[in-house]
Amino acid sequence: KSFGRFHTVATCLDQWNHRTLVRFLTGVIQAGGWATLENIHQLVPSQVSVLSTFLRTASNAMAERAENFIFEGKVVKNDENFLLFATVPLSKSDEFRFSSLSDGLRQYFRPVSLVSGHSDLLIILETTLLLAGFHQSESIANKLVFLHSLLNESVLQGKGYKMNLRMFKIAIASTSLEEVALQHQFSALLHKIHSICSSQMTLKDQEIFRFVLTETFPDSTSFIHESTEHEYNTSEKELFRKITLENGLIPSKGFVEKVNTLRNLLQYHRSVIIVGKYGK
């Protein structure tokens, strides 16, 4: 722990208010930590202005080797170990590029491209699978790389679904192999990938995704259709029905599916935003 550096990751949201952004930036620099702003292009102009002002003030303080500096009327402790990273989407379906950032903000960053080629992705997945207890790590890794390239070329690409290396790692980490036979390890992993991805898709896209899996790996996806109909076990169904009735709600099939989708989203994702009309 003493050899590490505190690092926090935050996804940029246009719902961030001025106070939240200021507290985040000043907190990280005073801790001497590193911070990563994911999808920095999503910041609105007022947030970009705050960030640019902060970076200019902090840079001047570091150049002068000042112990403190004033920001937003408060004294902020300066730590030269502070570093700020930012990510922007660079896939084929995105029009945004680093040059689209405002000049005032772009001057504080240097562009870096991270490219994960076929061989790199294969090595990463094979190592991750091996450490997770998958005995057929090499074979499964090759199948996952093929699935990754297939999904990137499908109509699902560009719709905001997280079908990347991080998704594969989450699926691998959450797949229990205690009761899985050796020949069914890939099937169990594929089921977990299906659960993670389909939880964030529309019903139409779920059908497309399921079709891609069943057509690509027909011998490993025979149980996917059955599993989608039985997301809750008997005890969970009874408990959910009881809680629903106690709160004066109707446990209809559509309502159950929505709750189940929300449960899957909360299980696999860092943050979830629910949009829609609220009840009485």
Side-chain angles (χ1 to χ4, degrees):
K1 200 173 182 180
S2 60
F3 292 99
R5 178 73 61 190
F6 172 74
H7 178 226
T8 182
V9 179
T11 302
C12 296
L13 301 171
D14 53 10
Q15 292 91 345
W16 273 7
N17 56 39
H18 180 274
R19 183 181 178 186
T20 301
L21 184 57
V22 170
R23 290 183 62 183
F24 174 79
L25 295 171
T26 55
V28 175
I29 192 172
Q30 291 186 100
W34 294 359
T36 297
L37 295 176
E38 289 188 339
N39 298 329
I40 193 174
H41 65 290
Q42 294 183 355
L43 293 178
V44 297
S46 59
Q47 297 169 335
V48 172
S49 176
V50 172
L51 180 58
S52 300
T53 304
F54 171 80
L55 292 175
R56 181 177 66 252
T57 307
S59 297
N60 293 337
M62 290 181 182
E64 298 172 0
R65 296 186 178 277
E67 295 184 358
N68 304 291
F69 62 89
I70 305 297
F71 183 68
E72 294 288 320
K74 295 183 179 180
V75 178
V76 180
K77 178 185 175 183
N78 185 30
D79 194 310
E80 62 181 10
N81 292 313
F82 168 73
L83 282 177
L84 182 66
F85 303 89
T87 65
V88 294
L90 293 174
S91 63
K92 296 180 180 179
S93 59
D94 294 302
E95 298 179 357
F96 182 82
R97 293 297 183 268
F98 179 76
S99 58
S100 300
L101 288 174
S102 64
D103 294 337
L105 184 59
R106 192 169 66 247
Q107 63 178 320
Y108 298 106
F109 292 94
R110 65 181 69 177
V112 177
S113 297
L114 299 179
V115 180
S116 179
H118 182 282
S119 58
D120 294 332
L121 184 62
L122 181 63
I123 293 173
I124 294 172
L125 287 174
E126 186 176 348
T127 303
T128 305
L129 287 163
L130 187 61
L131 293 175
F134 287 82
H135 298 287
Q136 300 171 330
S137 57
E138 183 177 357
S139 173
I140 295 176
N142 278 288
K143 291 181 179 179
L144 292 181
V145 170
F146 177 69
L147 176 61
H148 180 267
S149 62
L150 199 64
L151 292 174
N152 284 335
E153 297 173 358
S154 70
V155 295
L156 300 175
Q157 178 64 21
K159 292 190 175 184
Y161 301 138
K162 297 180 179 179
M163 298 181 292
N164 49 24
L165 177 61
R166 180 172 177 270
M167 180 272 293
F168 283 132
K169 286 186 174 181
I170 293 175
I172 293 170
S174 56
T175 301
S176 175
L177 299 180
E178 296 179 357
E179 300 179 357
V180 178
L182 182 63
Q183 64 271 24
H184 294 148
Q185 286 191 351
F186 179 68
S187 299
L189 179 58
L190 205 61
H191 169 56
K192 187 63 65 174
I193 292 173
H194 173 265
S195 299
I196 295 174
C197 290
S198 60
S199 67
Q200 54 184 317
M201 295 179 179
T202 62
L203 292 177
K204 183 178 180 180
D205 288 343
Q206 285 181 19
E207 294 178 1
I208 296 174
F209 180 61
R210 193 177 299 118
F211 175 79
V212 172
L213 293 182
T214 53
E215 289 297 312
T216 309
F217 309 108
D219 297 333
S220 302
T221 54
S222 58
F223 61 93
I224 285 184
H225 294 287
E226 300 176 4
S227 63
T228 54
E229 299 295 331
H230 303 284
E231 292 292 337
Y232 285 122
N233 57 39
T234 304
S235 60
E236 286 177 324
K237 284 183 178 179
E238 292 300 322
L239 179 61
F240 176 74
R241 179 180 176 81
K242 179 181 178 182
I243 296 175
T244 304
L245 293 174
E246 288 177 353
N247 287 274
L249 302 173
I250 301 175
S252 62
K253 183 178 179 180
F255 185 60
V256 171
E257 290 177 353
K258 289 183 179 180
V259 173
N260 186 41
T261 300
L262 177 60
R263 182 186 69 162
N264 290 333
L265 287 171
L266 293 173
Q267 184 177 0
Y268 301 120
H269 301 281
R270 287 182 246 178
S271 59
V272 175
I273 298 177
I274 302 177
V275 181
K277 296 181 179 179
Y278 59 88
K280 296 181 179 179

